[in-house]
Amino acid sequence: MSGRDPAFTVVVPAYNAEATLPAALGSLDAQLDRDFEVVVVDDGSTDATPALADELCAARGWRVVHQPNAGLPAARNAAIAVARGRWIALLDADDWLLPPYLGRMRALLASAPRVGLAFGDAWEWYEGSGRFGRGTAMAPYRPRVIPEAGEPCFRALLRTNFVYGAATVPRALAERLGGFDETLRAAEDWNLWLRIVAAGWRIAQTRDPLAVYRRRAGQMTADAARMHAGSLAALRGVQGACRLDPGPAAALEAAIASAERDLRGSAVASTPGRRLLRAAIRSTRPVRSYRLRAPRPAVEAFPELRRGGGR
């Protein structure tokens, strides 16, 4: 990559991630597409994350940004602000990207004009049991048919966030839209995906798992009330940021009204907020059905997961 900018900047926000950051960064060592840089943002960690991030990244020639704690959206935006890559790929500090991930994102982003968001799915690995869930991370969310653009895509995404968080977006587009909304404390990714589609950009996706999602105690998705309130704030943020045609605007108004009723305690089972809440609650329940065999692509890339490790 000497003398030119990389194709990808992998953005890794890290807050008190000393137990998981080495594995997350190690998954990037295995990427088949090597045209990338990495920016880790230490978001005011109080454990050993700052020194660990410096050590791990110095050995690889990657960059670390240290900042006072400002939250996940601000940490991602801090990385985007110094990124050189054409595309921004997101990786949480407790997850893994499978070796084909960046290559598949490159193909998806080039698959049609004006692709503003590319994503796949992920295997779920449960830290407590050391086993893989039978389903995938997005199975509770994903509709049978996912429209790729326009009002049908916007309406589908309003109903539920079917985009796995380890997604990739063009850097120029993220900058043009102002990045992640730093006022949000949950559902900030959903907010950005909706704004991307509302701005007239396409999505491109594969149903193949290209990552491993670590299920663990203390995750944001385990706080159902926070996710529920966050979904409402995310919808309001889209309304404030986007100029919409009458059809999408009416759909957004209806979604906000329903989410407001949900927040006040009226259980409206068909609303976007309620579906998001149900999925968040399901994600915290004990898993009664694990895969009998660990998925081969995951354990071939990360053998420690076969043994119930992952650190």
Side-chain angles (χ1 to χ4, degrees):
M1 295 186 297
S2 177
R4 67 177 183 86
D5 291 338
F8 296 93
T9 297
V10 182
V11 168
V12 187
Y15 175 71
N16 289 351
E18 63 178 346
T20 61
L21 184 61
L25 296 184
S27 77
L28 299 176
D29 291 330
Q31 287 299 302
L32 300 177
D33 189 322
R34 305 301 302 168
D35 193 4
F36 68 91
E37 66 170 358
V38 177
V39 179
V40 176
V41 179
D42 161 43
D43 188 36
S45 297
T46 58
D47 65 357
T49 296
L52 182 61
D54 285 339
E55 176 187 349
L56 293 171
C57 290
R60 296 167 165 90
W62 297 342
R63 286 183 288 170
V64 181
V65 174
H66 297 282
Q67 66 177 29
N69 181 253
L72 179 59
R76 286 174 170 166
N77 286 344
I80 293 171
V82 301
R84 297 183 298 119
R86 177 183 177 187
W87 297 303
I88 299 294
L90 303 175
L91 172 62
D92 287 346
D94 53 358
D95 297 336
W96 298 260
L97 295 181
L98 293 175
Y101 174 83
L102 289 177
R104 294 290 297 277
M105 292 300 104
R106 184 191 292 269
L108 288 172
L109 288 158
S111 63
R114 290 182 62 83
V115 174
L117 174 63
F119 58 95
D121 205 336
W123 304 111
E124 292 186 296
W125 184 80
Y126 287 78
E127 186 176 74
S129 65
R131 299 178 68 182
F132 285 88
R134 187 175 294 276
T136 61
M138 302 315 296
Y141 305 82
R142 187 175 56 219
R144 184 174 301 176
V145 177
I146 300 178
E148 295 181 350
E151 183 174 339
C153 183
F154 185 79
R155 286 178 176 271
L157 193 52
L158 264 183
R159 285 191 288 272
T160 184
N161 182 10
F162 50 76
V163 180
Y164 180 61
T168 299
V169 301
R171 175 166 60 92
L173 176 59
E175 292 172 340
R176 188 181 313 152
L177 295 179
F180 292 92
D181 185 339
E182 296 184 14
T183 69
L184 298 176
R185 291 296 174 262
E188 74 288 331
D189 54 351
W190 188 35
N191 171 275
L192 181 57
W193 313 153
L194 284 164
R195 287 189 283 128
I196 286 172
V197 175
W201 292 76
R202 303 175 61 87
I203 67 171
Q205 58 93 27
T206 175
R207 293 175 183 263
D208 295 340
L210 297 175
V212 177
Y213 177 40
R214 184 195 300 254
R215 292 286 192 186
R216 59 201 301 257
Q219 285 176 309
M220 186 185 300
T221 53
D223 188 342
R226 181 178 181 183
M227 293 299 294
H228 195 182
S231 69
L232 174 57
L235 292 171
R236 286 174 173 163
V238 173
Q239 186 178 49
C242 299
R243 293 183 178 180
L244 301 172
D245 291 336
L252 179 57
E253 283 276 7
I256 290 172
S258 293
E260 288 172 340
R261 290 194 297 270
D262 282 348
L263 195 59
R264 291 194 300 266
S266 298
V268 182
S270 64
T271 65
R274 179 60 61 179
R275 274 195 289 270
L276 186 67
L277 178 62
R278 285 205 313 269
I281 293 172
R282 276 201 303 271
S283 74
T284 67
R285 291 174 179 164
V287 176
R288 295 183 176 88
S289 180
Y290 292 104
R291 293 178 63 90
L292 296 178
R293 296 182 180 180
R296 180 177 294 178
V299 296
E300 285 183 348
F302 314 118
E304 66 271 22
L305 297 185
R306 189 192 304 272
R307 300 189 299 269
R311 300 187 191 280

